[in-house]
Amino acid sequence: DAALAALADPAAFARRWPAAKGQEPMVLAVGDGNHSLATAKAYWEELKPTLTEEQRRTHPARWCLAEVCNVHSPAIEPIHRVVFGVSAKELYAALDAWDRRQGSSTTASDQRLRLADACGESAVALANPPAPLTVGSVEAFLADYLPRHPGVTVDYIHGESVAMALAADPAKPATAILLPDFAKADLFKGVVLGGVLPRKTFSMGHAEEKRYYNECRVIGL
């Protein structure tokens, strides 16, 4: 209780996150991914009016299944992007032009990524990232780029080797945007300074382990 109370102290919060001074302190961060807590909560709110007060206290839908995972686990890895319909050279030029429009800095920031296609791989360092995390800046770029290129699509890929394989066919232009290993300490930084983590920031479990989505059994009430 004392540790949680300390997290809620505005002065302590401001010392830890100077850029967020004056902001409501964050005590707990809730992860709401594919197994959506928001969906479960919405279902519970729909169900509640049909139950008595006694039933509400014990009904299974009142509760959610939470997975406790060490944020420093090596199983937590970045989710890469593959952009179909454009070469890495073309995407690099578009990303560079977009980066210049974000600000006037010419000094590379600590946000780095790689672009890869059938012709090879290139490293990119953003000079004017608009988001606190690299993945957020990439999402901002794609949100600007995709509507202006209707023939180009994006998919979110688990596993660097899988992303590179999808972009390796010279007959089908595609570019893998390879994100850096997820810095575990950046998780809370991303939430505090960015409000929420960008979509598809990281995955718990490697690509081949996603087969469990299909191997699980249905849990019925």
Side-chain angles (χ1 to χ4, degrees), residues 16 31 38-39 54 59-60 67 95 102 139 143 154 156 186 190-191 193 205 207 212 220:
R16 184 174 185 185
T39 300
E54 183 178 356
H59 196 282
E67 178 182 4
L95 179 57
Q102 303 310 303
E139 279 299 296
V154 65
Y156 299 85
D186 281 351
V191 176
L193 301 182
Y212 296 129

Side-chain angles (χ1 to χ4, degrees), residues 11-155:
F13 181 81
R15 285 195 299 271
R16 184 174 185 185
W17 308 105
K21 185 177 181 180
Q23 183 176 306
E24 185 75 19
M26 183 185 74
V27 178
L28 297 173
V30 178
D32 182 15
N34 291 343
H35 317 290
S36 179
L37 183 64
T39 300
K41 181 68 162 59
Y43 172 67
W44 170 236
E45 293 300 332
E46 287 183 5
L47 190 63
K48 270 201 300 187
T50 70
L51 304 173
T52 66
E53 281 297 326
E54 183 178 356
Q55 289 174 324
R56 291 179 187 182
R57 286 195 292 270
T58 59
H59 196 282
R62 177 179 179 177
W63 315 97
C64 67
L65 180 66
E67 178 182 4
V68 178
C69 181
N70 186 340
V71 73
H72 294 283
S73 167
I76 295 181
E77 61 182 15
I79 298 176
H80 306 290
R81 278 73 172 148
V82 175
V83 186
F84 297 94
V86 62
S87 69
K89 182 178 180 180
E90 293 171 315
L91 197 65
Y92 183 98
L95 179 57
D96 181 59
W98 173 84
D99 185 32
R100 293 174 188 275
R101 294 199 304 270
Q102 303 310 303
S104 57
S105 176
T106 57
T107 303
S109 71
D110 60 355
Q111 292 194 15
R112 288 169 167 75
L113 56 112
R114 291 177 290 143
L115 300 180
D117 67 1
C119 296
E121 184 180 312
S122 57
V124 179
L126 299 177
N128 302 284
L133 302 181
T134 306
V135 62
S137 297
V138 167
E139 279 299 296
F141 163 68
L142 291 174
D144 176 78
Y145 180 83
L146 292 175
R148 295 185 290 104
H149 298 80
V152 177
T153 60
V154 65
D155 200 0

